[in-house]
Every structure is written in structure tokens, then in C-alpha cells.
Amino acid sequence: MADVTVHGAGIFGLTVAWACARRGASVRVIDPMGPGAGASGGLVGALAPHVPENWNAKKQLQFDSLVMAEAMWAEVARLAETDPGYARSGRLQPIPDEAALAFAEARTETARELWQGRFTWDIVPQDGYAPYAAAPTGLLIRDTLSARLHPRRAIAALARALANLGVEICKDGAATGRQVWATGTAGLEEISGVLGADVGNGVKGQAALLDFDGRTLPQLFADGLHIIPHGDGTTAIGSTSERDYTDPDGTDARLDALIEKARALCPVLGGADVLDRWAGLRPRARSRAPMLGHHPTRPGAFIANGGFKIGFGMAPVIGEIMADLVLDGRDRIPDGFRAAASLPKERPPQK
């Protein structure tokens, strides 16, 4: 019998299982579709920070997670003998005008303090990165905190590392011990149905993988678009953010437009073939932050859901926080990340 049963084999479920198993708990993961079948099976893998200003508990938690990620994925790679595609490659952002330049200059100072002198947010000339990145001002922001991860390789490596720790990942089976529900969009919709109120839903995203080897380049974030050169010689671009859709898993003209936009922003992608197209639903809680803690409709159970666009970046710290709560009863979840933050105020969470 398992001490902990995790429902859901996406990045949140697998990382909670990882944190619990490394503390000596016996863990079973149950997912009818297998590891990474939902939003975690995408292509992009941008691990990028909030801007270094107006600091709060959410930004601190994200910073802690991005710092933890390097050691976590190195340990996963060692145990799995598989490369998850992690690298702290940094990020470029074009500076479009003088107003944006003033903001960027101010943030170089706040980054020194808030990022504890360990990472930088600097302004650099675009000459060293042309024609990969360009800006009307000729200047780019370069931060050294951002990292990238290949989502599918990371999920496969994490599943293999868990198996080597004795964790069973199965499509069905008995749920024993403490229960953690990390079931993505389906889980949010289930809670909304039980409570009769919108707690969260799926937001469709579309992304593409191009045959361009930019593995020595930083990631690029421009005009709301992520361009992520992976270590395997491919480059991911994404993603759309669609609240209205008819086909949650189908790619369409919106992705075609995204590809063309990426090629316009980054001319070196112009002749690169499209290797893969992906679409899926990313779980977005009503608060926009992950929902963590005691499950609101399953008494005695726990929830880790709502990763939306930051699931891979937040996963290392969320795994540890949930292991603290599930195994030791120690609650260090910031208020903004509690499940209650996404619940209707007239219906307090159940415990």
C-alpha cells in the first residue's frame, strides 16, 4: 500500500511524487492517459521570471523555484540517465522605445537586490545577437535567471527517475494513503461543477517546433511570443492563449499566424521546417495562481492544480511545499496560492 497516491501524471503530479518519494514515502501515481498526456506534453518549456519589481510572496516563490530547478533537474537526469533538456540559457527581450528603455534601466538596479546578486537583468546591444533578435532601439534586455526545459523530455526523464525510486505510475489501481489531486483542467471543471461556480477552466494554447539549431542562444521573448531553442537542435515557439475554442486539441490558422509572427520577429527562423504542431488545454485557476493545499471538495485530500503557463517553472518549489503539507502537516503555502483564492467567497473551502 502506498503512503501517498497522486492523481495526475502531469508536471505538478510527478513533481509532488518526486518530492514525497525522495523523503522516503511510498508513492503511487495514477493517470489513465499516462505521463504528460495533457498540458505538460507541450513543446515550449520557458522557465522565465516576473519582472524584478513590486516584490511579493508570489514572485519570491517563483524566484525560489527557478533557483531550485537546476539542482532538481540535474538529479532527475542522473537518476533517469536521460537528458530533460534543462539549461539556464538566459533570455533576451527587445526594447521597443525610450519609455521601455527607462523601465529596463530601473530594473537592472532592482534585479541586483531582489535576485540577491546571483542573476542579472542587463541592457545589451543587439549587435551580438543579430539577426536572431532585433529592436527599434538597437538594445535588448538580457537576464541570466531564465532557463529552458524540453517539456516532453523532462516528463519522460522524471517518470523514469521516479520508477528508479520505486514509484509506480499506472493507468488505474487502488488509491491508498494520502490523496493528492493534480488533474489539470478536468480537475478544475470537476470542482466548478460540484460548487456550482467557476473555479477554473482550460485555456487553449498552440505551439510549434521548428528545425532550427539555436542551442547556444538564449530564449527570446518578444511581442508576447516565446522562442525557445532546445538543446536537441530544435526551436519551439508559442503560444496562443485562447479562451474560446471548438477543438481543444486541434491546431489551426492561429498557429499558422503565430509561426509567421515568429519568423518576422526572428528572421533566422524563416527557412526552418515545421517539425511538430501542438495544441492543448492549460489549467487556469480563477485566481490565475496555482491552487495548492487542502482539496475544496474532497475532504481529507489535497490539491495541486492550475499551473497554466508557469507549471514547469513553479513545479520544483510546489513539489516541496506539497510534500511538507502532505507528509508533515507543515503548511507554508502563500495566501495567493491557496485553493481558497480561487473559490467563491460565499463558499469557504472544505478541509
Side-chain angles (χ1 to χ4, degrees), residues 2-349:
D3 299 323
V4 178
T5 298
V6 178
H7 300 270
I11 187 57
F12 276 10
L14 294 182
T15 310
V16 171
W18 166 261
C20 291
R22 291 184 75 246
R23 299 189 192 192
S26 60
V27 183
R28 167 178 284 171
V29 179
I30 300 175
D31 192 319
M33 304 302 293
S40 297
L43 301 170
V44 180
L47 311 184
H50 291 292
V51 294
E53 63 184 16
N54 300 323
W55 210 242
N56 56 35
K58 291 182 180 181
K59 290 187 177 184
Q60 182 64 50
L61 197 69
Q62 188 208 42
F63 175 80
D64 294 342
S65 194
L66 292 175
V67 172
M68 293 167 58
E70 187 167 6
M72 175 190 151
W73 289 109
E75 180 66 6
V76 168
R78 185 187 69 80
L79 278 177
E81 297 182 342
T82 301
D83 180 13
Y86 177 87
R88 196 180 297 284
S89 53
R91 176 181 58 170
L92 300 173
Q93 299 179 74
I95 299 176
D97 51 39
E98 291 301 317
L101 176 60
F103 279 115
E105 289 172 337
R107 289 165 182 161
T108 63
E109 299 300 323
T110 54
R112 290 190 183 97
E113 174 188 356
L114 299 172
W115 291 355
Q116 304 169 9
R118 302 170 66 178
F119 308 98
T120 60
W121 170 292
D122 292 323
I123 298 168
V124 299
Q126 69 182 23
D127 297 349
Y129 298 101
Y132 175 65
T137 60
L139 299 171
L140 308 168
I141 298 164
R142 168 72 193 264
D143 83 73
T144 60
L145 174 56
S146 295
R148 48 95 165 150
L149 191 69
H150 193 298
R152 294 177 183 174
R153 291 175 179 266
I155 289 290
L158 185 51
R160 185 170 178 177
L162 285 167
N164 289 338
L165 287 175
V167 174
E168 181 184 13
I169 302 176
C170 51
K171 294 190 174 183
D172 53 33
T176 61
R178 300 175 181 95
Q179 312 283 304
V180 181
W181 291 81
T183 48
T185 297
L188 296 179
E189 291 176 346
E190 177 191 55
I191 296 168
S192 296
V194 172
L195 296 181
D198 179 21
V199 169
N201 49 50
V203 176
K204 182 177 178 179
Q206 298 188 54
L209 195 68
L210 304 187
D211 186 14
F212 174 76
D213 189 347
R215 71 186 76 195
T216 63
L217 293 169
Q219 60 183 271
L220 176 63
F221 182 66
D223 197 17
L225 179 67
H226 292 280
I227 299 174
I228 311 295
H230 287 305
D232 63 356
T234 63
T235 295
I237 62 170
S239 58
T240 64
S241 189
E242 305 168 36
R243 301 296 297 271
D244 298 314
Y245 50 84
T246 56
D247 182 2
D249 302 314
T251 62
D252 55 33
R254 292 190 184 188
L255 181 56
D256 296 333
L258 199 73
I259 294 169
E260 292 309 307
K261 179 180 178 180
R263 287 174 168 159
L265 289 169
C266 187
V268 293
L269 300 178
D273 292 335
V274 177
L275 300 175
D276 199 0
R277 296 162 65 94
W278 176 87
L281 297 183
R282 297 160 298 176
R284 178 189 181 277
R286 190 166 66 96
S287 70
R288 294 184 61 90
M291 291 179 68
L292 308 177
H294 295 279
H295 199 289
T297 62
R298 294 179 179 270
F302 303 90
I303 187 170
N305 204 332
F308 193 31
K309 298 180 180 181
I310 59 172
F312 277 91
M314 295 299 301
V317 76
I318 283 174
E320 296 300 324
I321 284 175
M322 291 302 297
D324 283 344
L325 181 62
V326 173
L327 298 180
D328 303 325
R330 185 159 66 97
D331 187 343
R332 58 186 184 98
I333 302 170
D335 287 344
F337 283 74
R338 294 186 181 279
S342 290
L343 299 180
K345 290 188 174 10
E346 67 274 14
R347 295 288 298 273

